[in-house]
Amino acid sequence: MFKEYFKFYKHINSLEQQSNIIDFENEVNTEFMKPKILTSEFFNDDKEILDNLGLKSNISDWKCYDVLNVPGLIFIKNPFTSIGQKYWLKRCIADYTKKPNRLNIDAHRILGDGEDWWTLSNKNEINLKLRNQLRWATLGYHHDWDTKVYSETAKSEFPMDLSKLSKTIIKLLQFPDEFMAEAAIVNFYHPSSTLSGHTDHSEYNLSAPLLSISFGLSAIFLIGGHSLDDKPVAILLRSGDTIIMSKESRLCYHGVPKVLLPKNDQYFNYDNELEEPFKSYMQVTRININVRQVNNV
């Protein structure tokens, strides 16, 4: 059933009359979601922690839900400030794509010594096509797409700011164990991009939650059960929306069958906040940061 639904959503051209997509902007979807109360006890005396991470410093402004159809799946409706979104997407584009992090384009030996993808892609008109060739960057433990095995010989230092962001969000959700951000995949989607159904099962610690943050164009996120035969649910993700996969949902099949075209994405507009060339890039891009803990503590 997962593949059938994936194919269906991949070919839709409009969200109109798609009432089967869970939209957290629409309070009518109460049958699919339950509000989750966050505790502010950790941050009562230091809202500056949240502000410095680009997060809304007033916890009461956060809208967080348990997704009832998928036990353990938590949805946070854009907890970022506009300044925070700008900071994180620029970090993904200009910084997380530099060495020693690994990129999908490394195999083609496009970049010379001392060159980085973002600088080179904006050098001249000829290099602009390089922008669309980037699909992913790996941070910390570098995911091996062939063996699906993490190795101590294939890792670099994990970004301190992203680690602190991940730990803070997980702590606010009152998970019992401290979250260790050890590996991340930053995906760069374009309107024609998809991510087929899969499970994230390579980590040695599968009880730790998986954190997924989206910026840019909206997308349809599809998540089912532990078998491809299970019926999935579709969730609309907008810029800033954050998902945590924990408990049963941690090993559920999930994917992205559809990234919305800019003309259909009325919720994302950085025209007045982003300078070029970031603005033009983000008008046709969705960025997803997927953070996970690899090892048992």
Side-chain angles (χ1 to χ4, degrees), residues 59-90:
I59 301 299
S60 63
D61 291 336
W62 288 40
K63 295 187 181 300
C64 185
Y65 304 91
D66 287 311
V67 181
L68 299 179
N69 308 53
V70 190
L73 185 66
I74 302 169
F75 177 94
I76 305 176
K77 180 181 170 184
N78 182 22
F80 296 89
T81 63
S82 58
I83 293 175
Q85 285 206 39
K86 181 178 176 180
Y87 171 83
W88 287 108
L89 67 87
K90 289 178 74 172

Side-chain angles (χ1 to χ4, degrees), residues 157-210:
E157 186 176 356
F158 195 91
M160 187 178 297
D161 56 354
L162 184 56
S163 174
K164 190 170 184 179
L165 173 70
S166 305
K167 287 184 176 184
T168 299
I169 292 175
I170 296 300
K171 189 174 182 180
L172 277 168
L173 293 171
Q174 303 177 61
F175 279 89
D177 300 319
E178 183 179 3
F179 181 74
M180 303 299 293
E182 297 178 301
I185 302 174
V186 182
N187 291 299
F188 299 85
Y189 294 86
H190 305 296
S192 60
S193 300
T194 62
L195 179 65
S196 58
H198 66 284
T199 62
D200 294 294
H201 57 268
S202 300
E203 294 72 37
Y204 303 116
N205 186 337
L206 295 175
S207 63
L210 187 152

Side-chain angles (χ1 to χ4, degrees), residues 208-224:
L210 187 152
L211 181 73
S212 178
I213 305 169
S214 297
F215 296 114
L217 296 177
S218 299
I220 296 173
F221 175 73
L222 203 62
I223 182 166

Side-chain angles (χ1 to χ4, degrees), residues 18 22 37 120 233:
Q18 296 297 328
I22 300 176
I37 305 302
L120 186 61
V233 296

